[in-house]
Amino acid sequence: NMTSLLRMRNVRFMSQFVLPAQLQVHPRLVHSCLRAPALPWRRCFSRGEGDSVKGGRGTRPAREYFYYVDLHGRLHLDEHDEPDVQANARPKVYNIATCLKEPKFLDFFFKQMRANDLDEGRAHKEEGYGFLSPCGRELNFVRAADTAVVFTQLSEGRLFYAPTLSVHYDKTALSVSDEGRVYHPAPNALGGHALVGSALVDAQIAPAITLDEHGSFFLDLEIHDTLNGEGGSGKGN
């Protein structure tokens, strides 16, 4: 393929230079140097290993990585373990351009994720990393802008928080915070409840929500079901 051809051309180009005998480079070393290094999450995911770290009793992992879940449910490599920068440097920006997007990796990562139950001193809880996603002897620590996962899609009675991971949607179990954020029950391992993404709320839920003079919210089931292609009528709260 093209990659192999480029590597071969590079090797031939380098072989044209005559080095002293003591500096001769083995062809395998040249070839390996031309390879791009694997990203930490790619290496972890490619092994496909299960969780071998349980609570604080497991051996210390060979590597630790840090991630951030934003209000839209997007997963980003966090800046926790990046080299210190000057105080006046611009902070890292988290947006759709910086998030991880590979569906298989996201499914694996969120399927592995659970509450951070490691011993103090190695859990990074004081830094806000309340969840972790183990991968073999590597630990991926996760902090979140709000909840560990965010529901981003509602389809056929299922709320999705990853490409193929979902929970049964119970419209009567929705709750609204004082800040106006909408939540729905989630797996206990992920905190028991999770934020419903603003784009999903705006398109399929918010038009059916009304507030009374006391601040209580009501879900108009007829409007809700019309928005989501379901039958039914009435109101819930």
Side-chain angles (χ1 to χ4, degrees):
N1 55 31
M2 182 62 69
T3 302
S4 299
L5 289 175
L6 289 173
R7 288 173 177 166
M8 292 174 64
R9 290 181 62 185
N10 286 337
V11 172
R12 286 199 296 270
F13 174 77
M14 295 183 69
S15 65
Q16 294 175 5
F17 293 91
V18 179
L19 299 176
Q22 64 270 26
L23 295 180
Q24 289 296 325
V25 180
H26 194 281
R28 287 187 179 179
L29 179 59
V30 174
H31 181 74
S32 64
C33 291
L34 295 173
R35 294 177 180 174
L39 291 174
W41 59 265
R42 173 76 70 175
R43 180 172 61 253
C44 179
F45 173 59
S46 64
R47 275 208 309 267
E49 298 175 0
D51 175 11
S52 66
V53 181
K54 299 181 179 179
R57 298 182 295 275
T59 58
R60 186 170 183 84
R63 293 270 186 163
E64 293 180 348
Y65 299 105
F66 299 86
Y67 292 83
Y68 172 69
V69 177
D70 66 19
L71 290 174
H72 302 284
R74 297 184 294 231
L75 183 67
H76 308 263
L77 277 169
D78 208 357
E79 59 186 359
H80 176 279
D81 56 349
E82 294 181 359
D84 292 336
V85 295
Q86 297 179 358
N88 59 353
R90 294 179 60 184
K92 184 170 182 176
V93 176
Y94 301 99
N95 55 38
I96 193 169
T98 64
C99 70
L100 302 173
K101 302 177 180 69
E102 185 172 316
K104 289 184 178 180
F105 166 70
L106 294 174
D107 279 338
F108 178 84
F109 188 95
F110 287 116
K111 185 177 181 180
Q112 291 285 97
M113 198 157 73
R114 70 186 193 211
N116 185 350
D117 57 356
L118 297 183
D119 290 339
E120 295 297 331
R122 61 177 299 200
H124 301 283
K125 293 179 184 178
E126 70 282 358
E127 302 161 54
Y129 294 93
F131 292 85
L132 59 88
S133 178
C135 177
R137 294 184 63 243
E138 295 181 0
L139 289 180
N140 302 302
F141 293 91
V142 184
R143 67 183 181 94
D146 191 337
T147 55
V149 296
V150 177
F151 296 114
T152 58
Q153 182 181 357
L154 171 58
S155 177
E156 298 181 352
R158 308 288 299 182
L159 271 176
F160 289 82
Y161 57 90
T164 67
L165 303 180
S166 65
V167 300
H168 171 71
Y169 175 52
D170 181 1
K171 55 195 173 189
T172 65
L174 293 172
S175 60
V176 180
S177 70
D178 294 338
E179 295 80 16
R181 294 178 180 175
V182 179
Y183 297 86
H184 184 277
N188 290 333
L190 300 176
H193 74 288
L195 179 68
V196 181
S198 58
L200 174 56
V201 170
D202 291 344
Q204 296 177 252
I205 299 176
I209 293 179
T210 58
L211 296 175
D212 65 14
E213 63 274 13
H214 303 293
S216 299
F217 89 95
F218 292 85
L219 182 68
D220 189 310
L221 300 183
E222 184 175 358
I223 296 176
H224 175 278
D225 293 345
T226 300
L227 290 169
N228 294 284
E230 303 173 14
S233 61
K235 285 190 176 183
N237 58 8

